Each structure stands twice: as structure tokens, then as C-alpha cells.
Amino acid sequence: MKHFGRVAALAGLLLSLWLIWQEHPAVVFASLRVAGAGLLLAGLAHVLSMLANARGWQTLIFGPQRPSFLQMLQLVWIRESVNSLLPVARVGGEIVSFRMLRRWGVRGPAALGSLIVDVQLTVISQLLFTMVGIGFLFAHAQSGTLRLAGQLAWGVVALAPPLLLFAIVQHASPFERLTRALNHLTSGKLGTLVGESANVDESIKQVWRKHGVVLRYLFVWQPLQCVATSFEIWLALYFLGSPVSLVEAVVIESLIQAISSAAFFVPGGLGVQEGGFIVIGGALGIDPATCLALAGARRIRDLLMFVPGLLAWQFAESSRGAPPVRQAGAAGEQVRVESAIRREP
């Protein structure tokens, strides 16, 4: 598994190149050239979704330790950059975020609890938007697209059991129970982790008890984020000469996000996004060359926004202005946040 991410990235890159070759590279690159600086504008529009994401995540952290809005915006920027460009299976960004929150003085349980609930609520909202996208395809598409919508619907059905399990165990203190079991197996060597895991469980419950915060996250901040990322699609297609309605852009974005999340193990969704844009765009009447140009616009956005984000991460890691995390527990906390997030549906 050590080199799995690199192999997946190489396979995705080869798939992307093959798809472009199939649709005549000159046509695809001509579309990108015609769009020109408009694609840079579409890429910069990603700031809008980052603003909504930062504010939504900030509401999940309570008390005087809550970072400022600008700090949360920096955190979102770095998290997306790490998850989008590095072979970290969309977990590395959460680990980096946890480290930065701790350096800013946020307690470990509160930091980890906000991260876990943010992932949980994002999965739920993504499922809802995927269902909206599938419903639109069923209502407006031809027979071939109905088959696509049916296949996507089965994919959504497959996500239902994990979400149901999540709802059942939400208030069962899973982290405390797990660490107690591990402590028993190791003859008491993990006793200190039991109390910390109980604190994490309590932090998660505390967020979920704030019903107003949870509802605003699901029905205000997440929809704003989805509409903002869809606006990027709308802008890119406008400059590519294939304008669509904002509703159609939302459909494309919601289904692309679902496909990319399912293929989380492929760094940057290489090949997966390109294929997804061709299938979903084709269902909406967009020609394959334009779909590949749209995928290229998404790559331009990644380079424009996330390469500087990686540089900002390195600067933040080397900065000594923030209060350091206690060295005694730093390694254990990093292991726990990685294992905790990986267990989320």
C-alpha cells in the first residue's frame, strides 16, 4: 500500500491523456485558448466557496478558543490544497488542520470534534445534493441518461447503510469504547487515552446538541458552498462557449463531487474527474471536447489556488509565531486524528 497513491495518480494521468487523445487534443486546447483569461477568473471564484466553508466550520468550534474567520479561511485553503494535490487519500488535509488548530490554542478534543462533525455533515449534505442532481437527470434527460441516473441512484443507495450506522452510533461514545477495548487488550498500557477519547466523544455530542448550528451548517453554509463551486462551472462553461443554466451547473458539480469522493484514493481525482465530466456533461448535451476543456479548467483552478496553498502550509509549519503544541502528546494526537477521520463514513 506504500506506493498505492502514486500508482493511482499515474493510472489517472494516463487515463486523462487517453481521453484527451480520443477527443483530438487540438480541439480541447483550442477551446481552452479561446476561453483564455476567463478560466483564471473562474478559478479565482473558488474563493467564494472557501469563504462559506470557513464560516461553516468556524461555527462548529465553541468558546474563546475559536479561531478568527481569517484563520479558518487559511485553514480551509491549506486543507483543500493538501487533499487536492498530495497523495493523502483526502485525510492529510484533516491532519494538517488538526495540527494548526492545536498550535493556535484550540483544545485537542474540540479541534478533533469539529473536524469529525465537519466531515460528517459534509457527507450528509453531499448525499442530499447528489440526490438533487440525480432527480434533475431523471426529470430532464433522454433514455441513455436515465440509465446513467439509475446507476448513480444505486450508488446513493449504497451510501445509505453507512449513514444509518453513523446515526445509530452517534451517541454511543464510539471513541471511548474503542480505546477501552484497546486498553484491555494491551493490559492497561493505553489508560491515559481512555479519558481523552471520552473528551472527544463529548465534544462531538456537544456540537450535535447545538441543533441550530447543525441546521445552519446543512441548509445555509453547505448550500452556499455548493452554489459557489457551481458558479465556477457556470463561469468556465460560459467562457468556453457552452453556457448552461446555474441549475445545470449545480447538477454537474454535485455529481462530480460524488464521483470524486468515491474515488478518494486517486490523488486529485486524475482521470476520474475527466471521465465524470464527459459522462455527466454528455447527459446534459455538452460535447466531449468541451467537457474535457471544462476538466482542464478545473485543473487550472487547482494550480492557481492550491499550489500557493501548499506554500502557505509550509510557511505556517515553519512559523514560530503560534504557540507550540506540547511535545509529549503531539505524536499520539496525530495518530488518533488520522484513525478517527478514517473511520468516518
Side-chain angles (χ1 to χ4, degrees):
M1 298 295 292
K2 180 179 179 180
H3 302 290
F4 180 76
R6 297 173 183 173
V7 173
L10 178 60
L13 177 61
L14 292 175
L15 177 59
S16 300
L17 295 175
W18 181 80
L19 289 171
I20 293 174
W21 182 260
Q22 289 293 107
E23 296 302 328
H24 304 292
V27 177
V28 177
F29 290 121
S31 298
L32 291 172
R33 187 169 57 253
V34 169
L39 299 184
L40 298 180
L41 178 62
L44 291 173
H46 187 66
V47 173
L48 298 176
S49 70
M50 291 170 57
L51 291 171
N53 191 356
R55 178 52 183 159
W57 187 4
Q58 185 188 36
T59 62
L60 303 181
I61 304 175
F62 308 126
Q65 297 175 332
R66 173 187 288 180
S68 68
F69 176 72
L70 288 180
Q71 285 179 312
M72 295 303 300
L73 183 60
Q74 179 188 9
L75 210 59
V76 167
W77 183 29
I78 291 175
R79 179 174 70 169
E80 288 192 27
S81 301
V82 172
N83 284 341
S84 297
L85 297 183
L86 298 183
V88 292
R90 300 205 175 192
V91 175
E94 275 64 28
I95 296 173
V96 171
S97 300
F98 177 78
R99 286 166 52 88
M100 292 183 66
L101 284 170
R102 294 290 288 117
R103 291 186 66 194
W104 291 340
V106 180
R107 292 186 308 109
L112 183 52
S114 73
L115 271 165
I116 291 173
V117 176
D118 178 67
V119 172
Q120 292 171 338
L121 293 175
T122 299
V123 170
I124 293 173
S125 62
Q126 190 173 89
L127 178 62
L128 294 175
F129 279 110
T130 301
M131 294 174 65
V132 170
I134 292 172
F136 183 89
L137 290 182
F138 270 123
H140 295 82
Q142 305 298 323
S143 59
T145 308
L146 290 178
R147 287 195 297 272
L148 167 64
Q151 293 168 355
L152 291 172
W154 279 113
V156 173
V157 170
L159 290 175
L163 290 176
L164 179 61
L165 178 62
F166 151 71
I168 294 174
V169 305
Q170 180 59 49
H171 300 289
S173 301
F175 299 113
E176 180 183 4
R177 292 175 183 271
L178 177 62
T179 51
R180 285 188 183 279
L182 293 174
N183 185 51
H184 178 73
L185 292 175
T186 57
S187 302
K189 294 181 180 180
L190 300 178
T192 56
L193 294 181
V194 175
E196 294 181 16
S197 299
N199 291 335
V200 172
D201 285 320
E202 183 56 36
S203 294
I204 294 173
K205 292 177 183 178
Q206 182 183 9
V207 176
W208 279 94
R209 291 190 192 107
K210 304 286 187 179
H211 302 301
V213 170
V214 171
L215 290 176
R216 280 192 296 273
Y217 188 102
L218 284 174
F219 298 108
V220 176
W221 302 117
Q222 276 293 321
L224 283 176
Q225 186 178 347
C226 183
V227 170
T229 50
S230 302
F231 180 62
E232 299 171 36
I233 297 282
W234 184 88
L235 271 179
L237 284 173
Y238 173 80
F239 288 114
L240 287 169
S242 297
V244 297
S245 67
L246 185 59
V247 173
E248 290 173 319
V250 170
V251 171
I252 295 173
E253 176 62 25
S254 64
L255 297 180
I256 283 294
Q257 285 294 331
I259 292 172
S260 298
S261 297
F264 65 91
F265 51 87
V266 181
L270 283 171
V272 177
Q273 280 195 14
E274 284 73 13
F277 275 119
I278 289 177
V279 173
I280 297 168
L284 295 173
I286 304 173
D287 64 272
T290 301
C291 291
L292 287 173
L294 178 60
R298 179 59 57 93
R299 299 302 176 192
I300 291 173
R301 182 207 71 178
D302 291 349
L303 294 175
L304 184 66
M305 297 296 300
F306 298 151
V307 170
L310 292 181
L311 297 177
W313 167 42
Q314 293 302 308
F315 178 80
E317 288 288 343
S318 62
S319 174
R320 298 183 180 181
V325 181
R326 290 177 302 171
Q327 296 298 321
E333 286 173 345
Q334 181 168 343
V335 172
R336 288 194 296 279
V337 67
E338 181 173 5
S339 59
I341 294 173
R342 284 185 182 278
R343 284 195 295 269
E344 290 303 313

